[in-house]
Amino acid sequence: MARPEILFPLFADLTTLPGVGGKTALALGRLGLEKVGDLLFLLPHGVVDRRLRDDLLMVDAGEIITCRVQAIEHRRGRTDRQPYRVIVEGGGRPFELVFFHAKRDWIERLLPIGAVRVISGKAEIFDGRLQVPHPDFVLTEAEAGALPSFEPVYPLTQGVSQKLMQKAVNGALSARPALPEWQRADTLREFVWPSLGDALEAMHDPKDRSVLAPGAPARSRLAYDELLSHQLALGLVRSKMRRGAGRRTKGTGVLAASAQAAFGFRPTEAQRRALEEIAADMAAETRMLRLLQGDVGSGKTWVAMMAMLAAVEAGGQAALMAPTEILARQHAEGLGGIAAEIGVSLEILTGRDTGSERRRKLAAIADGSAQLVLGTHSLFQKDVEFSDLRLAVIDEQHRFGVRQRMELAAKAPSGADLLVMTATPIPRTLALTGYGDLDFSILDEKPPGRKPIETRLVSRERYDEVVARLASAMNDGVRAYWVCPMVEESETALKIAAEDRHRALAERLGPDRVTLVHGQMPSEEKDRAMSAFQSGVVQLLVATTVIEVGVDVPEATIMVIEQAESFGLSQLHQLRGRVGRGEGKSSCLLLYDPPLSETGKARLEVMRATEDGFKIAEEDLRIRGPGDFIGTAQSGAPAFKIADLDRDRALMERARTETRLILHEDPDLSSERGKALKILLYLMGRDASVRLISAA
Ligand code: ADP
Ligand code: MG
């Protein structure tokens, strides 16, 4: 289905608006405004009160004043540099209108002595005198009748004045077609929300200053339109991915039972529950799209393995994709042992495999002799064909974008079930925005016996002391991580910082006890460093954030993080999660460069106060705002024009529930309301999702 004709005026070029030429259109583009309709959803950031005042006896500098005046005297500046001043009387007092670089005859025509004018502008106090420099308006009484009492204030950019913007928005308002209502009548009644048209009018032609207040009906309605379109788009993707994928995968439990013995621990209640939810999804006819969320160390790998074995028991294959090579290898090692023990074949495919080795692996994957396949992104590549992929697991999803998730899902043509795992606790609000297309399972319990990690904040001024303590701990056989700062964005800068730190620490602690791993190292070297650390041959691993996710060396008990203030809180939490996994008592030292800012201090204090990843994520979101949370692109958190993720949480929840209801009742959006909702989707630029339903 193509874009409905009724919306054409809103998708017209900005230059079709009165007063907008090519240059202005370009300037507006810098504000993300490209089509006429974009102006409709441009949220003003303020409202100016231009009501006429009779009394100017109490005016503060900065106030906008609007008043009827009479010019009593023109005073030209003595030089060109000095302003031209017009003394007027109005509001019960004399005051001055001030003009710089203005033509004399223009001003004389504008404000003839004795004539009544309505002026409006920002008041200033200069030398104790009330002045209005360059009033926004100087109008005759007849003209002033058309001056709105309240005026929206828009964000601007160079080359676009407030007046021009207002004119453009007004043009967009009059170009607006009448659209059918897509919100339910009882929703509108419940919240006392206006129609779309009335909401837009209220926002752009406000009748008072409260239109922009958080709960104001017009703003809320527009925010809800936006949130609903977003949820609906995700919902459509979801139902498209599920539809026609009818594949029942039910394990026999035979392999799972022997694997359980090989694991050697009892699963937690939470692990068992998550596995049950997953097994039920896999056994059902629709395709599974499930997010398994569990804090660092909560045991997601066990859940993944058990689910994968169900796929194998049912005669199919399962794949596990990890974000880094280190993590893929670690899974291959851990799960490889178990697979071997229970007689299941496992292959690992990464970017490192080339030539005949790669061909051999691809053949094993294609003919089904590889039952479990682990790997990195390389599992996406076109030449990877599975014989019967029934389950795809994506580990540590926050490292992957929404797009890659779709790609992996699309990779499984027979409609493999999809399990996405993440250790980054996603606050509920964000979860709803970026992941609204998934079901959730949560591991809210950690395996027994975990000891609390002692976290301390230490100034870098105490570096020598820290290294001395580390030396003595290492003499007692302790293993430790040292994470280098994040300050530089470039991989090369990170690498150099890590190499320098490695050199310094190796010199101090003994070269054969310290090793290094960073993202730019050749894979073989990375492996060598990791396995030397894993086996205890070296005791200190100097690293960049490549060790952030998943790395599991239970014997390591000390984590030092340099310039901790440069990391995101959730990232610190992930890094800290590398310790506290074994028998020994663990500690985490957050080194910071003094002086710390107030926020910097508050953030690191959060780390000290709690080990609960959810709390940390919520705090991080609160302190930094959603944009920064895990990187907008990575988290898939969208930027909304009107809605505010923090303030409009409740509306987001509602949009999600409503979406489920809509898609349940009218999956193709073919009812009267469904058609209106399609218009909403197009209006909000979600064309791609509408195409999904028409293609189905
Ligand atoms: P994550 O959720 O961070 O991926 P892992 O799956 O790597 O966690 O598990 C962390 C550690 O806990 C591993 O060493 C794993 O063997 C161990 N583990 C997992 N589940 C249990 C359990 N139920 N009881 C004891 N240890 C467990
Ligand atoms: Mg893991």
Side-chain angles (χ1 to χ4, degrees), residues 15-32:
T15 50
T16 58
L17 290 171
V20 179
K23 244 196 190 149
T24 309
L26 269 182
L28 290 170
R30 282 200 296 273
L31 292 170

Side-chain angles (χ1 to χ4, degrees), residues 265-268 271 294-302 396 447-448 450 550 552 554 581:
F265 52 69
R266 283 163 54 96
T268 62
Q271 283 171 314
D295 207 351
V296 211
S298 58
K300 293 184 292 296
T301 317
W302 179 89
E396 306 296 352
R450 292 282 154 82
D552 187 31
R581 300 182 152 236

Side-chain angles (χ1 to χ4, degrees), residues 453-532:
I453 302 167
E454 191 198 353
T455 300
R456 271 181 299 156
L457 314 187
V458 182
S459 162
R460 197 193 42 183
E461 287 159 356
R462 291 169 60 196
Y463 173 84
D464 288 333
E465 206 181 310
V466 169
V467 177
R469 293 250 212 115
L470 189 59
S472 95
M474 282 165 63
N475 286 337
D476 294 338
V478 161
R479 257 179 267 175
Y481 298 95
W482 185 293
V483 178
C484 297
M486 262 297 281
V487 276
E488 295 285 350
E489 281 299 319
S490 97
E491 284 284 331
T492 310
L494 283 178
K495 168 187 154 207
I496 292 170
E499 283 170 349
D500 286 351
R501 180 57 73 218
H502 171 247
R503 204 171 307 117
L505 287 171
E507 197 170 300
R508 177 77 175 67
L509 301 166
D512 47 350
R513 298 166 84 186
V514 183
T515 190
L516 170 69
V517 59
H518 62 69
Q520 289 204 329
M521 247 171 169
S523 319
E524 291 77 15
E525 262 179 61
K526 259 191 248 174
D527 284 357
R528 223 175 300 131
M530 284 309 295
S531 66

Side-chain angles (χ1 to χ4, degrees), residues 440-458:
F440 287 77
S441 291
I442 296 182
L443 296 181
D444 51 5
E445 179 188 1
K446 294 213 177 159
R450 292 282 154 82
K451 298 193 185 69
I453 302 167
E454 191 198 353
T455 300
R456 271 181 299 156
L457 314 187
V458 182

